[in-house]
Amino acid sequence: FVKDTSKLTHTQEVQRLYRASLRLVKSWAIGVDVFEFEADNIRARFEATRQETNKYRIEEMMVSARKELAEKSHPSPYILPWLPGGSMYMRNSPPPPEAVYPGQGEIS
């Protein structure tokens, strides 16, 4: 039997939501101190609902959290410089082969 991996577990969904929240705060924060303060607030919000057992209430909280994340999305999110869309992505083109392998392209 092969396990269906297309559906995430609840733990994985919460972890992804938490990480997305932190990435969003990183886009909005103007300094490390602001980021750390807001990250602590986010962690406290997640911890406050950790013991919830009512599956309908949990699903309602997940939907509202995703909605809040979408509403507060940054118009120009922070992208690591070397990733696609970053400021350094493809900045330096690769050197020509004759510079890397001298003497390989010459005819004798």
Side-chain angles (χ1 to χ4, degrees):
F1 291 84
V2 177
K3 183 178 179 183
D4 182 21
T5 58
S6 62
K7 177 119 173 77
L8 298 174
T9 66
H10 173 69
T11 303
Q12 290 172 325
E13 288 182 15
V14 172
Q15 288 171 343
R16 288 182 182 197
L17 184 63
Y18 179 70
R19 291 185 68 198
S21 301
L22 291 179
R23 282 193 297 272
L24 179 64
V25 167
K26 188 175 184 181
S27 292
W28 285 104
I30 58 173
V32 176
D33 54 337
V34 175
F35 171 75
E36 289 176 350
F37 177 77
E38 292 299 329
D40 288 341
N41 288 342
I42 290 172
R43 182 64 182 199
R45 287 178 67 184
F46 273 81
E47 288 294 332
T49 58
R50 187 177 200 154
Q51 301 302 322
E52 184 66 49
T53 57
N54 183 344
K55 66 179 181 178
Y56 300 109
R57 176 74 179 123
I58 290 172
E59 185 59 33
E60 181 182 301
M61 288 188 298
M62 292 290 289
V63 168
S64 69
R66 286 188 200 105
K67 184 178 178 184
E68 182 180 351
L69 200 63
E71 288 172 355
K72 295 182 178 182
S73 65
H74 196 279
S76 178
Y78 177 75
I79 300 172
L80 292 172
W82 52 86
L83 293 180
S87 60
M88 289 181 8
Y89 183 70
M90 296 296 288
R91 179 181 289 178
N92 298 324
S93 59
E98 57 271 6
V100 178
Y101 307 106
Q104 295 291 326
E106 297 175 6
I107 300 176
S108 306

